[in-house]
Amino acid sequence: MNDIRAVRAIRAFLANEASGGIVLMIVAALALVIANSPLAPSYFATLETKVAGLSVLHWINDALMAIFFLLVGLEVKREFIEGELSTWPARALPGLAAAGGVIVPALIYVALNRSNPEAMRGWAIPTATDIAFALGVLALLGSRIPTSLKVFLAALAIIDDLAAIIIIAVFYTTNLSALYLAGAAAGLAALAVLNRRSVTALWPYLLIGIVVWFMVLKSGIHATLAGVAVAMAIPLVAASDHSPLHRLEHALHKPVGFIVVPVFGLANAGVSFAGMTADTLLNAVPLGIALGLFVGKLVGVYGASWVAIRTGLARCPEGATMTQLFGVAMLCGIGFTMSLFIGLLAFPDNAALQDAVKVGVLMGSIVSALAGLALLSRLRPDQQPKEEGAEALS
């Protein structure tokens, strides 16, 4: 009987939308504990261990995270074709909010680091929202938050991920190899042919996708972008839950949420605080990232949303108040996974700046999560959202 209850409890946990964010929080905390314990030397040595010519950390960040980007690509494609972003009116509010949430954090970071050319490479670090983390925190509030706000946050985070993908492709690509780029293009062309011929078996796409990943890895473009490119070729049959895209997305959700992202977090969130002082924490790089996430995301997301709603370009999410929207804008400052990833691309050979990125991302994300949770949890479920929303538009 106890075994049955345990299995049911595990299944319930895995099915809960907050679980992925909770696991990520635990793993991030664990990485910090290990990095500041007697296990630290073994932890860092393991990450640098070579396997088949690449370090363990390299395999995690270039290979394992390609699966994460594959899932992101599938979600983006589905949302834009048949999901919450399938029409222009539905895209207006999350799209404008996401734009504000990219521009303002970048400007804050640039303002604090403009005198340091090397540090300026990290301008995009505070522009990304971690969808699993943010939705996990929001889910902890249960029925206090209207479903429309959860949909808004998910849509905003997906557009945010799309912006991050474009930024990575345009600004963090160097030393291109024409030969390997041609190989990747040939692989993508083969995937397009499979799609055009309505091939519904997944294995040909995944097999060619591995070849495309290898070509992209060698081309100078970051290998994880291969996951997005392959996702665009997976067929989506509208109004069918059994199309190849739906099947693959469903198959990847739990492995990515409970294995891929936590492993990435465990490998990349660990930073030693030995020798750190208040001056270290207030250095321009971590401070720019932390303020970009907490202040920049809040001002950018809420400010753009307020203007869009005030001018009639978009509507406030149904049943939601502007105060609740303000709280959700705070949660957009949780930038863990993608922010850490961009930080690695910005400073690939500078361990000190990588540690500064981790500190800044952790500070900004933690403050954003706690502040957003504190505000939203204090709002009464019986507030009159329609009246408040009407006042905001009057």
Side-chain angles (χ1 to χ4, degrees):
M1 183 63 71
N2 289 336
D3 291 341
I4 295 175
R5 288 178 179 174
V7 170
R8 287 177 178 172
I10 292 172
R11 286 178 177 173
F13 179 78
L14 294 177
N16 191 312
E17 61 180 321
S19 299
I22 292 171
V23 170
L24 195 52
M25 295 177 205
I26 294 172
V27 166
L30 180 62
L32 286 173
V33 170
I34 293 174
N36 292 277
S37 74
L39 295 175
S42 298
Y43 168 77
F44 291 111
T46 299
L47 293 176
E48 295 303 320
T49 301
K50 297 288 184 179
V51 178
L54 298 176
S55 69
V56 170
L57 186 62
H58 201 161
W59 277 112
I60 292 170
N61 293 341
D62 280 14
L64 203 59
M65 284 299 284
I67 302 174
F68 167 79
F69 276 83
L70 173 60
L71 178 60
V72 169
L74 294 172
E75 290 177 337
V76 168
K77 181 175 180 177
R78 176 180 53 76
E79 289 292 345
F80 272 84
I81 292 178
E82 64 173 24
E84 299 296 335
L85 300 172
S86 58
T87 64
W88 283 108
R91 296 169 190 163
L93 186 61
L96 292 170
V102 169
I103 295 170
V104 178
L107 290 177
I108 289 176
Y109 181 92
V110 168
L112 291 174
N113 290 276
R114 62 186 182 278
S115 61
N116 186 338
E118 184 178 14
M120 281 290 288
R121 281 185 53 81
W123 65 270
I125 296 170
T127 64
T129 295
D130 190 296
I131 185 169
F133 231 137
L135 285 175
V137 172
L138 196 61
L140 295 175
L141 296 165
S143 59
R144 281 179 171 270
I145 303 301
T147 302
S148 62
L149 269 184
K150 297 176 183 178
V151 171
F152 165 75
L153 179 58
L156 185 153
I158 286 172
I159 297 174
D160 216 44
D161 283 344
L162 181 59
I165 290 165
I166 295 171
I167 288 170
I168 291 169
V170 174
F171 295 99
Y172 297 106
T173 295
T174 56
N175 302 322
L176 297 178
S177 166
L179 179 62
Y180 284 108
L181 279 176
L188 293 175
L191 291 173
V193 170
L194 292 176
N195 188 310
R196 293 281 293 178
R197 292 188 175 182
S198 300
V199 175
T200 58
L202 281 171
W203 69 265
Y205 294 96
L206 299 180
L207 187 62
I208 296 174
I210 293 173
V211 175
V212 170
W213 171 82
F214 177 78
M215 293 295 177
V216 173
L217 176 68
K218 295 292 186 179
S219 71
I221 299 174
H222 200 273
T224 52
L225 295 181
V228 179
V230 171
M232 295 300 108
I234 305 295
L236 171 61
V237 180
S240 171
D241 292 334
H242 301 289
S243 67
L245 187 144
H246 287 108
R247 298 201 315 268
L248 184 57
E249 184 181 1
H250 179 74
L252 289 178
H253 258 297
K254 283 187 172 58
V256 169
F258 293 100
I259 298 176
V260 173
V261 173
V263 168
F264 173 83
L266 184 63
N268 290 280
V271 57
S272 174
F273 295 125
M276 284 194 181
T277 63
D279 290 338
T280 304
L281 298 177
L282 296 177
N283 184 272
V285 170
L287 186 61
I289 294 170
L291 290 179
L293 286 172
F294 179 56
V295 178
K297 278 290 186 181
L298 174 59
V299 172
V301 170
Y302 184 76
S305 298
W306 185 89
V307 171
I309 294 171
R310 183 89 176 182
T311 58
L313 292 174
R315 294 181 178 180
C316 187
E318 185 177 356
T321 68
M322 293 302 291
T323 305
Q324 287 174 323
L325 191 62
F326 186 87
V328 169
M330 280 185 175
L331 296 184
C332 289
I334 303 173
F336 191 78
T337 306
M338 197 69 83
S339 293
L340 288 177
F341 189 80
I342 293 175
L344 294 172
L345 299 181
F347 311 119
D349 302 314
N350 192 320
L353 283 179
Q354 286 183 11
D355 284 348
V357 168
K358 295 174 185 179
V359 171
V361 169
L362 289 170
M363 286 195 301
S365 297
I366 291 171
V367 173
S368 296
L370 294 178
L373 188 60
L375 174 62
L376 292 170
S377 64
R378 292 182 64 185
L379 297 178
R380 299 191 312 274
D382 59 343
Q383 282 181 309
Q384 302 298 319
K386 292 183 179 179
E387 291 180 11
E388 186 178 331
E391 290 174 4
L393 296 176
S394 61

